[in-house]
């Protein structure tokens, strides 16, 4: 059995180093013997670290940073080290694995020494301002809001996201570009004067970040999502991954951090940038602490989005009720996204007037924020709301909006929900979604995301979501093959005054076409 489980080339800043690195996943069973406990694993880690340094030194690299981390499997370790030349970095990893497999160390050293160095990293040094946005929820909405503000300032704006590459509001390349290639494609376009990059967990772990630094970073929040993937099993580990974005922010820049999320707030101690926190609570201890240290804060005071700067009068920018994305303050998450976007835009040097105009004109519609809190009123029928709501926090935020939109006359309007989940989430998260849905909605129907089952079958997803609903006394949830079919079934039984929400990931285009085909009219704040 070979010791090399995986060798991955990380092209830019990553979980282990602020520059390009090689990540080895190694099976060290041969070093552990019969005892595979934590103590033996750490002894093995030390031996592997010494081996990497020794081979590198003998092959001509005098100084090499090496990080070794345990994994939940006691037989497996992750080893990472920076590289300046791709081929030599890759061959060093293969040489280490060969020695662990019983190969001759002198031969391994000679192989590394004889290898042509190869090209250097493709990490980009930006020549225009870059705002990098990460977090579990709100990344896409916040990045779109910042880009919209920059356009109000007259900038030619490029941004990358999970939906594609956009330049000045036009989709130029469809696909998930929340990894390093997205940032690279945006910054390679000569017309771009201002860049916004949505940076997801997967891109950081699998390829590294595509830029050497950013001018402003935003971390919206860190909640349980994508756990159990790529060695990230806890929320604390996930926060460490998201924190990479803040760690590569320029010293002269700003790290915009959620003051209400302790893991995010703690990132102010690991970033070289100045902290700029956001919170709906102006009396938050975090606000006082950050202002006392010379940082800044954006909060809500007397219903106004307000910027606080040490030694200056509070600056009320715009009423929360005048920001369409907040639905008059009904959407708590979008109030927070608004605070984050305002902070990032001001931190990046965009004019105050452009920030105010941008916040007032960015709408929760298909044109401005496709797939996030899009709303229609059907003729003589219910309001329909389409949102990604891909995890527990997102679903709770969607249900909060649905309850607020339901008609409160007598009889009161009901909340109907099309429930769905992506297949690569943990059993626990999928079950929890079923519980949250059944507790928060009057009628729930499961609609499967056929393109995102990722190894599961619909029947398995049904079992998990129904089990969650049964925890709160709801049984027999109907299930439909697609998101659209679940929405159609719910609309059929809905009454005027009801609100129908759909957790939509796979069929956004089809849903928009069906709703508008019924005569659905955009429902504005």
């Amino acid at each position: 059995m070979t010791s090399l489980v995986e060798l991955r080339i990380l092209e830019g800043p990553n979980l282990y180093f602020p520059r390009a690195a090689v990540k080895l996943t190694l099976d060290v069973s041969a070093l552990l013997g019969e005892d595979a406990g934590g103590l033996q694993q750490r002894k093995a880690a030390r031996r592997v670290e010494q081996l990497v340094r020794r081979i590198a030194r003998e092959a001509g690299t005098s100084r090499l940073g090496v990080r070794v981390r345990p994994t939940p499997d006691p037989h497996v370790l992750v080893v990472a080290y920076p590289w300046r030349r791709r081929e030599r970095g890759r061959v060093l990893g293969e040489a280490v694995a060969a020695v662990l497999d019983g190969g001759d160390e002198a031969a391994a050293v000679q192989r590394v020494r004889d290898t042509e160095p190869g090209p250097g990293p493709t990490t980009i040094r930006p020549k225009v301002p870059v705002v990098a946005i990460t977090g579990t929820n709100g990344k896409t909405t916040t990045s779109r809001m910042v880009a919209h503000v920059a356009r109000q300032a007259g900038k030619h704006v490029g941004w990358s996201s999970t939906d594609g590459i956009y330049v000045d509001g036009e989709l130029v390349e469809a696909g998930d570009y929340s990894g390093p290639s997205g940032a690279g494609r945006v910054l390679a376009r000569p017309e771009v004067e201002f860049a916004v990059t949505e940076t997801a967990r997967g891109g950081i772990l699998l390829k590294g970040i595509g830029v050497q630094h950013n001018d402003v970073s935003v971390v919206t929040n860190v909640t349980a999502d994508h756990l159990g993937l790529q060695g990230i099993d806890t929320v604390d580990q996930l926060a460490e991954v998201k924190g990479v974005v803040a760690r590569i922010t320029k010293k002269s820049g700003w790290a915009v951090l959620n003051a209400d999320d302790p893991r995010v707030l703690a990132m102010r101690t690991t970033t070289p940038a100045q902290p700029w926190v956001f919170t709906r609570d102006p009396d938050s201890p975090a606000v006082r602490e950050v202002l006392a240290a010379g940082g800044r804060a954006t909060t809500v005071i007397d219903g106004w989005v307000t910027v606080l700067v040490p030694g200056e009068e509070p600056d009320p920018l715009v009423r929360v009720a005048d920001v369409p994305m907040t639905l008059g303050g009904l959407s708590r998450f979008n109030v927070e996204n608004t605070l984050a976007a305002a902070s990032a835009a001001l931190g990046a040097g965009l004019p105050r007037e452009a920030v105010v105009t941008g916040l007032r004109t960015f709408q929760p519609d298909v044109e401005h924020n496709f797939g996030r809190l899009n709303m229609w009123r059907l003729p003589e029928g219910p309001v329909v709301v389409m949102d990604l709501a891909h995890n527990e926090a997102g679903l709770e935020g969607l249900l909060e909006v649905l309850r607020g939109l339901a008609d409160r006359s007598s009889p009161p309007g009901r909340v109907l929900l099309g429930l769905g989940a992506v297949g690569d989430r943990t059993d626990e998260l999928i079950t929890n979604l079923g519980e949250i849905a059944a507790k928060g909605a009057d009628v729930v129907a499961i609609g499967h995301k056929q393109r995102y089952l990722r190894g599961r079958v619909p029947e398995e997803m049904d079992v998990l979501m129904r089990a969650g609903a049964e925890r709160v006394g709801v049984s027999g949830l109907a299930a439909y093959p697609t998101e659209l079919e679940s929405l159609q079934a719910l609309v059929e039984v809905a009454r005027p005054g009801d609100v129908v929400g759909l957790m939509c990931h796979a069929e956004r285009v089809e849903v928009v076409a069906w709703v508008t085909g019924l005569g659905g009219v955009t429902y504005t704040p």
Side-chain angles (χ1 to χ4, degrees):
M1 180 181 68
T2 178
S3 62
L4 183 58
V5 178
E6 182 187 49
L7 188 156
R8 185 171 290 277
I9 303 292
L10 305 176
E11 289 284 353
N14 53 80
L15 179 59
Y16 312 100
F17 293 96
R19 55 190 184 279
V22 173
K23 174 192 171 188
L24 304 176
T25 304
L26 299 171
D27 187 315
V28 293
S29 300
L31 297 179
L32 295 174
E34 296 182 1
D35 184 358
L39 183 59
Q40 286 302 112
Q41 187 188 44
R42 280 158 176 76
K43 289 181 179 179
R46 177 64 175 160
R47 292 174 63 184
V48 171
E49 179 184 349
Q50 291 173 335
L51 175 63
V52 175
R53 293 184 189 279
R54 193 164 61 243
I55 293 176
R57 184 173 61 251
E58 294 297 323
T61 301
S62 58
R63 296 176 61 188
L64 183 70
V66 181
R67 304 273 168 82
V68 184
R69 294 191 175 206
T71 70
D73 184 343
H75 298 91
V76 176
L77 293 172
V78 169
V79 181
Y81 53 87
W83 62 275
R84 295 185 183 278
R85 297 291 180 176
R86 175 187 290 270
E87 279 307 299
R88 187 159 287 176
R90 180 183 62 79
V91 171
L92 173 58
E94 294 174 348
V96 169
V99 174
L100 291 175
D101 288 338
D104 180 70
E105 187 170 324
V109 169
Q110 190 62 43
R111 182 186 172 200
V112 176
R113 187 182 293 133
D114 293 343
T115 298
E116 288 295 322
T122 58
T123 319
I124 295 172
R125 184 183 293 276
K127 296 180 181 178
V128 300
V130 175
V131 176
I133 299 169
T134 192
T136 306
N137 297 90
K139 293 188 299 295
T140 299
T141 295
T142 303
S143 64
R144 289 170 173 172
M145 292 180 83
V146 174
H148 181 73
V149 168
R151 293 185 66 200
Q152 306 311 301
K155 303 288 186 182
H156 289 293
V157 184
W159 69 95
S160 59
S161 71
T162 52
D163 289 331
I165 304 294
Y166 291 79
V167 176
D168 290 337
E170 296 295 325
L171 178 65
V172 296
E173 289 188 66
D176 186 349
Y177 284 104
S178 58
S181 63
R185 288 171 186 261
V186 166
L187 292 168
R189 302 188 73 93
E191 70 271 34
V192 169
E193 301 172 312
F194 189 97
V196 182
T197 63
E198 181 181 333
T199 309
R201 165 210 59 88
I204 298 171
L205 288 170
L206 298 177
K207 295 183 179 179
I209 296 176
V211 296
Q212 292 184 5
H213 59 254
N214 57 67
D215 297 88
V216 175
S217 57
V218 180
V219 187
T220 59
N221 50 50
V222 181
T223 62
D225 194 20
H226 295 100
L227 299 183
L229 301 174
Q230 286 96 40
I232 303 303
D233 298 294
T234 68
V235 179
D236 287 332
Q237 291 173 336
L238 184 60
E240 187 180 18
V241 175
K242 304 287 187 185
V244 174
V245 176
R247 290 206 298 274
I248 63 167
T249 306
K250 285 181 176 179
K251 187 176 181 179
S252 59
W254 293 95
V256 177
L257 306 172
N258 186 341
D260 299 323
D261 187 321
R263 293 180 178 89
V264 175
L265 181 62
M267 294 176 191
R268 72 193 188 283
T269 64
T270 59
T271 178
Q274 307 162 89
W276 190 322
V277 297
F278 64 92
T279 172
R280 290 175 294 118
D281 178 11
D283 297 319
S284 166
V287 170
R288 295 195 298 272
E289 182 179 336
V290 167
L291 292 177
R296 296 182 181 180
T298 308
T299 186
V300 178
I301 300 178
D302 296 336
W304 285 75
V305 173
T306 304
V307 175
L308 303 177
V309 177
E312 298 183 14
E313 294 290 327
D315 181 13
L317 296 176
V318 58
R319 289 187 184 276
V320 171
D322 292 334
V323 179
M325 278 305 304
T326 71
L327 307 185
L330 176 63
S331 175
R332 176 173 50 90
F333 273 125
N334 277 321
V335 172
E336 294 172 357
N337 292 338
T338 297
L339 299 175
S343 305
L346 292 168
L350 296 176
R352 182 185 185 280
E353 315 85 71
V355 174
V356 172
T357 301
L359 295 180
R360 283 179 171 164
T361 56
F362 187 84
Q363 299 282 340
D365 57 21
V366 171
E367 178 185 352
H368 291 88
N369 206 21
F370 181 48
R372 270 70 174 179
L373 218 60
N374 303 151
M375 302 178 292
W376 300 267
R377 180 178 286 284
L378 297 179
E380 305 299 323
V383 171
V384 173
V385 181
M386 178 178 73
D387 192 73
L388 183 63
H390 63 295
N391 55 28
E392 294 152 290
L395 177 55
E396 288 170 346
L398 173 60
L399 286 167
E400 180 180 58
V401 169
L402 299 179
R403 288 192 293 269
L405 291 176
D407 192 330
R408 301 195 180 189
S409 59
S410 182
R414 300 171 301 165
V415 170
L416 297 84
L417 178 71
L419 167 68
V422 177
D424 62 0
R425 303 311 196 256
T426 63
D427 289 359
E428 180 183 15
L429 185 143
I430 296 171
T431 302
N432 288 346
L433 289 177
E435 178 180 349
I436 294 167
K439 186 163 52 178
D442 300 294
V443 180
V444 179
I446 297 170
H448 290 296
K449 306 176 188 298
Q450 294 289 346
R451 296 201 296 272
Y452 297 97
L453 291 174
R454 295 173 179 168
R456 294 190 190 259
V457 295
E459 293 76 14
E460 181 184 6
M461 303 289 282
D462 290 341
V463 168
L464 293 170
M465 286 185 275
R466 285 170 176 160
E470 288 168 0
R471 290 178 185 168
V472 292
V474 177
S475 59
L477 295 187
Y480 297 88
T482 67
E483 296 169 333
L484 178 58
E485 288 176 85
S486 70
L487 174 63
Q488 291 169 333
L490 291 169
V491 168
E492 187 174 344
V493 300
R495 305 185 293 255
D498 290 348
V499 180
V500 181
L502 179 66
M503 299 170 66
C504 191
H505 193 164
E507 297 176 287
R508 292 175 293 178
V509 173
E510 294 87 342
V511 166
V512 172
W514 183 76
V515 171
T516 54
L518 290 180
V521 177
T522 298
Y523 194 53
T524 67

